[in-house]
Amino acid sequence: DAAKNRDEIALELMKFIAVSTGYGKGASSGAGFSGKPSKSAEEYADALIQLFEKCRAVVARPVSEAATSAGRS
């Protein structure tokens, strides 16, 4: 099923982005920076759901449209 495959690809993309960037976890404290309190589990889940929806929208785009918008950066 094509829709299921797109959702699986979107999920893998979301996991890659979340793991590699720390997306949705909130600010972490580093040298010279005061960290904000970590997000609650509910806020983190909401951030991941929003990221998944963005990934689904990107994966659902036709290839020609996605290639055109990638060059606009």
Side-chain angles (χ1 to χ4, degrees):
D1 177 64
K4 184 178 177 183
N5 288 338
R6 284 195 299 268
D7 282 350
E8 289 175 3
I9 292 168
L11 181 61
E12 290 300 318
L13 178 60
M14 181 212 67
K15 288 192 293 188
F16 172 77
I17 292 169
V19 168
S20 61
T21 66
Y23 185 91
K25 288 188 177 180
S28 60
S29 59
F33 297 99
S34 61
K36 295 180 182 176
S38 296
K39 291 186 176 184
S40 71
E42 185 175 331
E43 290 171 323
Y44 182 54
D46 286 341
L48 291 178
I49 290 169
Q50 290 173 1
L51 177 59
F52 177 66
E53 292 299 325
K54 289 178 184 179
C55 291
R56 284 180 77 193
V58 169
V59 170
R61 283 186 199 158
V63 174
S64 59
E65 182 183 331
T68 304
S69 49
R72 294 184 188 162
S73 305

